Amino acid sequence: MGTFQGHLLAGVFFLVFSLYYAVMVSLALLRGQRLLSPPLPPREKRGHRWWQRVPVQGMMKVVIALGGIIPEFFYPPGVNRMKIVDWEDPRRPFIFYDNWDHATMYGFFMLSGVVDIVSQACQAWQNVKLERAAEALAFCVLTLLMAAHLENKGTLEIRVHVLFVVLTFLVSLVLIIEVWVPDQPTLWVLKTWLGLVLSCWMLQLSVLMYVPPSGQPWKAENPGDLAFLTIFFCWHLALGAAVLAAVYGLCSLWHHRFSSWRETPGAKYQPCPRGYSNEELEKLGTEAMLQDGGV
Protein backbone atom coordinates (compact mmCIF):
# COMPACT_ATOMS: atom_id res chain seq x y z
CA MET A 1 0.00 0.00 0.00
CA GLY A 2 3.03 2.27 0.23
CA THR A 3 2.57 3.33 -3.40
CA PHE A 4 0.04 5.33 -5.38
CA GLN A 5 -1.50 2.15 -6.77
CA GLY A 6 -1.75 0.62 -3.29
CA HIS A 7 -3.53 3.61 -1.78
CA LEU A 8 -5.75 3.87 -4.85
CA LEU A 9 -6.78 0.22 -4.53
CA ALA A 10 -7.68 0.69 -0.87
CA GLY A 11 -9.66 3.85 -1.68
CA VAL A 12 -11.60 2.11 -4.45
CA PHE A 13 -12.24 -0.85 -2.12
CA PHE A 14 -13.85 1.39 0.49
CA LEU A 15 -15.68 3.46 -2.14
CA VAL A 16 -17.32 0.44 -3.77
CA PHE A 17 -18.67 -0.83 -0.46
CA SER A 18 -19.71 2.65 0.67
CA LEU A 19 -21.73 3.21 -2.51
CA TYR A 20 -23.22 -0.27 -2.14
CA TYR A 21 -24.33 0.53 1.41
CA ALA A 22 -25.60 3.94 0.28
CA VAL A 23 -27.92 2.27 -2.24
CA MET A 24 -29.07 -0.32 0.32
CA VAL A 25 -29.75 2.33 2.98
CA SER A 26 -31.56 4.62 0.53
CA LEU A 27 -33.88 1.87 -0.67
CA ALA A 28 -34.50 0.66 2.89
CA LEU A 29 -35.51 4.16 3.99
CA LEU A 30 -37.73 4.69 0.94
CA ARG A 31 -39.49 1.36 1.51
CA GLY A 32 -39.84 1.91 5.23
CA GLN A 33 -37.96 -1.28 6.05
CA ARG A 34 -37.26 -2.17 9.66
CA LEU A 35 -34.24 -4.26 8.60
CA LEU A 36 -31.49 -3.11 6.27
CA SER A 37 -31.45 -6.53 4.61
CA PRO A 38 -34.01 -9.26 5.33
CA PRO A 39 -32.66 -12.37 7.09
CA LEU A 40 -32.02 -15.40 4.95
CA PRO A 41 -34.31 -18.45 5.13
CA PRO A 42 -32.95 -21.77 6.45
CA ARG A 43 -30.14 -23.29 4.41
CA GLU A 44 -32.32 -26.01 2.84
CA LYS A 45 -34.57 -23.32 1.32
CA ARG A 46 -31.81 -21.15 -0.20
CA GLY A 47 -31.17 -23.24 -3.29
CA HIS A 48 -29.12 -26.34 -3.96
CA ARG A 49 -26.41 -24.75 -6.13
CA TRP A 50 -23.45 -23.32 -4.24
CA TRP A 51 -23.39 -20.04 -6.16
CA GLN A 52 -26.95 -19.39 -5.01
CA ARG A 53 -25.83 -19.50 -1.37
CA VAL A 54 -22.48 -17.68 -1.52
CA PRO A 55 -22.96 -13.96 -0.68
CA VAL A 56 -21.63 -11.52 -3.24
CA GLN A 57 -20.58 -9.08 -0.53
CA GLY A 58 -18.47 -11.71 1.24
CA MET A 59 -16.81 -12.81 -2.01
CA MET A 60 -15.99 -9.21 -2.88
CA LYS A 61 -14.28 -8.73 0.49
CA VAL A 62 -12.18 -11.87 0.01
CA VAL A 63 -11.21 -11.14 -3.61
CA ILE A 64 -10.35 -7.47 -3.08
CA ALA A 65 -8.43 -8.24 0.11
CA LEU A 66 -6.40 -10.90 -1.69
CA GLY A 67 -5.79 -8.39 -4.46
CA GLY A 68 -4.27 -6.11 -1.82
CA ILE A 69 -2.25 -8.74 0.08
CA ILE A 70 -0.48 -10.39 -2.87
CA PRO A 71 1.12 -7.19 -4.26
CA GLU A 72 2.37 -6.30 -0.78
CA PHE A 73 4.65 -9.33 -0.88
CA PHE A 74 5.24 -10.09 -4.57
CA TYR A 75 5.05 -6.79 -6.49
CA PRO A 76 6.96 -5.93 -8.60
CA PRO A 77 7.37 -9.44 -10.01
CA GLY A 78 10.43 -11.24 -8.75
CA VAL A 79 10.49 -9.82 -5.23
CA ASN A 80 9.57 -11.69 -2.06
CA ARG A 81 8.75 -9.80 1.12
CA MET A 82 7.32 -12.74 3.04
CA LYS A 83 10.26 -12.70 5.47
CA ILE A 84 9.72 -11.10 8.86
CA VAL A 85 13.26 -11.36 10.31
CA ASP A 86 16.56 -10.78 8.54
CA TRP A 87 18.43 -13.88 9.70
CA GLU A 88 21.58 -12.85 7.84
CA ASP A 89 21.99 -9.82 10.10
CA PRO A 90 23.46 -10.73 13.52
CA ARG A 91 21.01 -8.27 15.16
CA ARG A 92 18.03 -10.20 13.70
CA PRO A 93 16.00 -7.07 12.87
CA PHE A 94 12.40 -7.14 11.72
CA ILE A 95 12.00 -6.25 8.04
CA PHE A 96 9.19 -5.28 5.68
CA TYR A 97 7.07 -4.08 8.62
CA ASP A 98 5.06 -1.68 6.44
CA ASN A 99 4.09 -4.51 4.10
CA TRP A 100 3.10 -6.77 6.99
CA ASP A 101 1.15 -3.86 8.45
CA HIS A 102 -0.85 -3.43 5.25
CA ALA A 103 -1.29 -7.17 4.77
CA THR A 104 -2.69 -7.48 8.30
CA MET A 105 -5.25 -4.76 7.53
CA TYR A 106 -6.37 -6.54 4.39
CA GLY A 107 -6.30 -9.89 6.19
CA PHE A 108 -8.92 -8.86 8.74
CA PHE A 109 -11.22 -7.59 6.00
CA MET A 110 -10.75 -10.93 4.26
CA LEU A 111 -11.65 -12.61 7.56
CA SER A 112 -14.85 -10.55 7.62
CA GLY A 113 -15.65 -11.83 4.13
CA VAL A 114 -15.00 -15.43 5.18
CA VAL A 115 -17.33 -14.98 8.16
CA ASP A 116 -20.04 -13.67 5.82
CA ILE A 117 -19.62 -16.69 3.54
CA VAL A 118 -19.65 -19.22 6.39
CA SER A 119 -22.63 -17.56 8.07
CA GLN A 120 -24.75 -17.29 4.93
CA ALA A 121 -23.68 -20.36 2.94
CA CYS A 122 -22.57 -23.01 5.42
CA GLN A 123 -24.60 -22.59 8.59
CA ALA A 124 -28.19 -23.69 8.98
CA TRP A 125 -29.20 -20.20 10.12
CA GLN A 126 -27.54 -16.90 9.28
CA ASN A 127 -25.63 -15.36 12.19
CA VAL A 128 -26.05 -11.63 11.54
CA LYS A 129 -24.50 -10.56 14.84
CA LEU A 130 -21.33 -12.54 14.09
CA GLU A 131 -21.05 -10.90 10.66
CA ARG A 132 -21.37 -7.43 12.19
CA ALA A 133 -18.83 -8.27 14.88
CA ALA A 134 -16.29 -9.45 12.29
CA GLU A 135 -16.74 -6.25 10.28
CA ALA A 136 -16.35 -4.14 13.44
CA LEU A 137 -13.19 -6.08 14.33
CA ALA A 138 -11.71 -5.36 10.89
CA PHE A 139 -12.18 -1.61 11.35
CA CYS A 140 -10.85 -1.74 14.92
CA VAL A 141 -7.69 -3.44 13.66
CA LEU A 142 -7.46 -0.88 10.85
CA THR A 143 -7.66 1.95 13.41
CA LEU A 144 -5.03 0.36 15.66
CA LEU A 145 -2.57 -0.32 12.86
CA MET A 146 -3.05 3.10 11.27
CA ALA A 147 -2.32 4.71 14.65
CA ALA A 148 0.91 2.69 14.87
CA HIS A 149 1.60 3.60 11.24
CA LEU A 150 2.26 7.21 12.31
CA GLU A 151 5.66 6.38 13.78
CA ASN A 152 8.74 7.66 11.93
CA LYS A 153 6.62 9.73 9.54
CA GLY A 154 6.94 13.33 8.48
CA THR A 155 4.67 16.08 9.74
CA LEU A 156 2.55 16.09 6.60
CA GLU A 157 2.06 12.33 6.56
CA ILE A 158 1.20 12.35 10.26
CA ARG A 159 -1.46 15.03 9.72
CA VAL A 160 -2.96 13.11 6.79
CA HIS A 161 -3.05 9.81 8.64
CA VAL A 162 -4.37 11.31 11.89
CA LEU A 163 -7.42 12.56 9.99
CA PHE A 164 -7.80 9.10 8.47
CA VAL A 165 -7.54 7.48 11.93
CA VAL A 166 -10.33 9.75 13.18
CA LEU A 167 -12.62 8.43 10.44
CA THR A 168 -11.73 4.78 11.00
CA PHE A 169 -12.28 5.17 14.75
CA LEU A 170 -15.75 6.67 14.21
CA VAL A 171 -16.70 3.90 11.75
CA SER A 172 -15.47 1.29 14.25
CA LEU A 173 -17.53 2.91 16.99
CA VAL A 174 -20.71 2.86 14.89
CA LEU A 175 -20.14 -0.77 13.89
CA ILE A 176 -19.59 -1.81 17.51
CA ILE A 177 -22.82 -0.08 18.52
CA GLU A 178 -24.64 -1.88 15.70
CA VAL A 179 -23.60 -5.25 17.10
CA TRP A 180 -25.61 -4.56 20.27
CA VAL A 181 -28.20 -2.09 18.96
CA PRO A 182 -28.97 -3.29 15.41
CA ASP A 183 -31.43 -2.03 12.82
CA GLN A 184 -31.30 1.67 13.65
CA PRO A 185 -31.83 3.86 10.54
CA THR A 186 -29.82 6.69 12.13
CA LEU A 187 -26.80 4.39 12.43
CA TRP A 188 -27.30 3.20 8.84
CA VAL A 189 -27.04 6.75 7.53
CA LEU A 190 -24.15 7.69 9.84
CA LYS A 191 -22.15 4.60 8.90
CA THR A 192 -22.70 5.15 5.18
CA TRP A 193 -21.75 8.82 5.37
CA LEU A 194 -18.56 8.06 7.30
CA GLY A 195 -17.69 5.32 4.82
CA LEU A 196 -18.07 7.71 1.89
CA VAL A 197 -15.92 10.34 3.61
CA LEU A 198 -13.29 7.73 4.48
CA SER A 199 -13.08 6.39 0.93
CA CYS A 200 -12.96 9.88 -0.63
CA TRP A 201 -10.25 10.93 1.82
CA MET A 202 -8.26 7.79 1.01
CA LEU A 203 -8.36 8.69 -2.67
CA GLN A 204 -7.39 12.27 -1.83
CA LEU A 205 -4.53 10.94 0.29
CA SER A 206 -3.15 8.88 -2.59
CA VAL A 207 -3.26 11.86 -4.96
CA LEU A 208 -1.87 14.32 -2.42
CA MET A 209 1.11 12.19 -1.41
CA TYR A 210 2.11 10.68 -4.75
CA VAL A 211 0.71 12.61 -7.75
CA PRO A 212 -0.22 16.17 -6.67
CA PRO A 213 -2.15 17.94 -9.47
CA SER A 214 0.14 20.99 -9.27
CA GLY A 215 3.18 18.84 -9.96
CA GLN A 216 4.81 20.17 -6.78
CA PRO A 217 4.94 17.99 -3.65
CA TRP A 218 3.24 19.26 -0.52
CA LYS A 219 5.71 20.51 2.08
CA ALA A 220 5.35 20.05 5.81
CA GLU A 221 7.28 23.23 6.54
CA ASN A 222 4.75 25.29 4.59
CA PRO A 223 1.97 26.46 6.98
CA GLY A 224 -0.37 26.97 4.03
CA ASP A 225 -0.09 23.33 2.98
CA LEU A 226 -0.91 22.10 6.49
CA ALA A 227 -3.81 24.54 6.81
CA PHE A 228 -5.37 23.55 3.50
CA LEU A 229 -4.96 19.89 4.38
CA THR A 230 -7.49 20.31 7.19
CA ILE A 231 -9.67 22.52 5.01
CA PHE A 232 -9.78 19.85 2.31
CA PHE A 233 -10.74 17.28 4.93
CA CYS A 234 -13.70 19.44 5.98
CA TRP A 235 -14.70 19.71 2.33
CA HIS A 236 -14.69 15.92 2.14
CA LEU A 237 -17.18 15.84 5.00
CA ALA A 238 -19.54 17.89 2.84
CA LEU A 239 -18.66 15.83 -0.25
CA GLY A 240 -19.65 12.61 1.52
CA ALA A 241 -23.01 14.11 2.48
CA ALA A 242 -23.54 15.35 -1.09
CA VAL A 243 -22.76 11.91 -2.56
CA LEU A 244 -25.13 10.26 -0.10
CA ALA A 245 -27.87 12.77 -0.95
CA ALA A 246 -27.31 12.19 -4.67
CA VAL A 247 -27.54 8.41 -4.26
CA TYR A 248 -30.72 8.84 -2.21
CA GLY A 249 -32.21 11.11 -4.89
CA LEU A 250 -31.45 8.63 -7.69
CA CYS A 251 -32.85 5.75 -5.64
CA SER A 252 -35.95 7.83 -4.89
CA LEU A 253 -36.55 8.44 -8.60
CA TRP A 254 -36.09 4.76 -9.38
CA HIS A 255 -38.27 3.69 -6.45
CA HIS A 256 -41.20 5.94 -7.34
CA ARG A 257 -40.95 5.11 -11.04
CA PHE A 258 -40.79 1.41 -10.34
CA SER A 259 -43.69 1.63 -7.87
CA SER A 260 -45.87 3.56 -10.32
CA TRP A 261 -45.06 1.04 -13.05
CA ARG A 262 -46.06 -1.89 -10.87
CA GLU A 263 -49.21 -0.25 -9.50
CA THR A 264 -50.97 0.88 -12.68
CA PRO A 265 -54.61 1.99 -12.23
CA GLY A 266 -57.04 -0.87 -12.58
CA ALA A 267 -54.35 -3.52 -12.46
CA LYS A 268 -54.43 -3.98 -8.72
CA TYR A 269 -56.64 -6.70 -7.23
CA GLN A 270 -59.77 -5.26 -5.63
CA PRO A 271 -61.45 -7.46 -3.01
CA CYS A 272 -65.18 -7.82 -3.13
CA PRO A 273 -66.80 -5.47 -0.58
CA ARG A 274 -68.70 -7.28 2.17
CA GLY A 275 -71.16 -4.50 2.98
CA TYR A 276 -73.42 -5.12 -0.01
CA SER A 277 -76.67 -7.07 0.23
CA ASN A 278 -77.49 -10.03 -2.00
CA GLU A 279 -79.69 -7.87 -4.25
CA GLU A 280 -76.90 -5.33 -4.77
CA LEU A 281 -74.43 -8.10 -5.57
CA GLU A 282 -76.82 -9.60 -8.15
CA LYS A 283 -77.25 -6.15 -9.71
CA LEU A 284 -73.49 -5.68 -9.94
CA GLY A 285 -73.10 -9.13 -11.48
CA THR A 286 -75.83 -8.38 -14.11
CA GLU A 287 -74.11 -5.11 -15.05
CA ALA A 288 -70.77 -6.88 -15.43
CA MET A 289 -72.34 -9.54 -17.72
CA LEU A 290 -73.94 -6.83 -19.89
CA GLN A 291 -70.59 -5.04 -20.19
CA ASP A 292 -68.85 -8.29 -21.19
CA GLY A 293 -71.53 -8.96 -23.77
CA GLY A 294 -71.13 -5.49 -25.24
CA VAL A 295 -67.42 -5.83 -25.86
Side-chain angles (χ1 to χ4, degrees):
M1 193 189 293
T3 61
F4 171 71
Q5 293 83 357
H7 284 83
L8 187 65
L9 175 64
V12 171
F13 170 74
F14 287 122
L15 183 61
V16 168
F17 277 95
S18 299
L19 291 174
Y20 170 74
Y21 276 114
V23 173
M24 286 184 61
V25 168
S26 299
L27 292 177
L29 294 176
L30 289 167
R31 294 167 180 168
Q33 297 176 196
R34 296 181 59 188
L35 302 175
L36 184 59
S37 56
L40 295 177
R43 185 175 59 182
E44 58 270 11
K45 297 182 180 180
R46 299 177 200 166
H48 300 288
R49 298 179 177 86
W50 65 270
W51 61 83
Q52 294 177 335
R53 300 195 302 266
V54 174
V56 176
Q57 181 179 344
M59 286 300 300
M60 287 178 62
K61 288 180 183 178
V62 172
V63 171
I64 296 177
L66 280 175
I69 292 174
I70 294 174
E72 288 292 335
F73 296 123
F74 304 110
Y75 183 83
V79 302
N80 184 2
R81 304 188 188 94
M82 288 291 292
K83 294 190 298 182
I84 298 181
V85 178
D86 186 1
W87 296 103
E88 297 178 359
D89 192 327
R91 296 173 298 175
R92 304 293 190 267
F94 290 105
I95 56 177
F96 305 130
Y97 42 85
D98 280 344
N99 302 96
W100 282 101
D101 186 287
H102 300 152
T104 303
M105 297 178 192
Y106 282 119
F108 274 87
F109 281 101
M110 185 170 67
L111 175 63
S112 175
V114 171
V115 170
D116 291 347
I117 294 172
V118 172
S119 172
Q120 299 181 34
C122 300
Q123 291 191 339
W125 292 92
Q126 181 185 8
N127 195 332
V128 179
K129 183 170 287 190
L130 180 63
E131 296 175 21
R132 290 173 178 157
E135 193 172 27
L137 175 63
F139 273 95
C140 288
V141 170
L142 176 61
T143 304
L144 179 63
L145 292 177
M146 288 302 297
H149 201 59
L150 300 176
E151 298 178 2
N152 301 322
K153 301 293 182 181
T155 305
L156 183 67
E157 287 188 73
I158 290 176
R159 179 73 63 86
V160 169
H161 285 84
V162 163
L163 296 173
F164 186 77
V165 169
V166 170
L167 291 172
T168 57
F169 172 75
L170 293 175
V171 174
S172 304
L173 186 61
V174 173
L175 291 173
I176 291 172
I177 295 173
E178 274 198 320
V179 174
W180 306 108
V181 188
D183 306 321
Q184 298 295 320
T186 305
L187 295 180
W188 300 347
V189 176
L190 181 60
K191 176 180 67 175
T192 307
W193 172 64
L194 289 172
L196 289 170
V197 176
L198 186 148
S199 56
C200 292
W201 183 245
M202 190 70 183
L203 295 174
Q204 172 75 51
L205 186 152
S206 61
V207 172
L208 183 148
M209 293 178 58
Y210 296 99
V211 285
S214 63
Q216 297 296 325
W218 286 51
K219 299 178 181 178
E221 61 273 11
N222 188 344
D225 288 353
L226 292 178
F228 266 97
L229 189 65
T230 308
I231 293 171
F232 286 161
F233 178 78
C234 294
W235 290 358
H236 278 282
L237 298 177
L239 177 62
V243 172
L244 181 57
V247 171
Y248 182 84
L250 292 174
C251 290
S252 178
L253 291 175
W254 180 87
H255 174 72
H256 288 98
R257 184 176 181 84
F258 184 71
S259 299
S260 61
W261 176 73
R262 291 190 64 181
E263 298 180 4
T264 54
K268 192 173 181 181
Y269 170 75
Q270 300 290 340
C272 180
R274 298 183 179 181
Y276 291 134
S277 63
N278 291 333
E279 295 179 357
E280 291 173 331
L281 290 175
E282 291 178 1
K283 182 179 178 181
L284 289 173
T286 305
E287 292 178 356
M289 291 178 62
L290 291 175
Q291 289 177 1
D292 293 340
V295 175

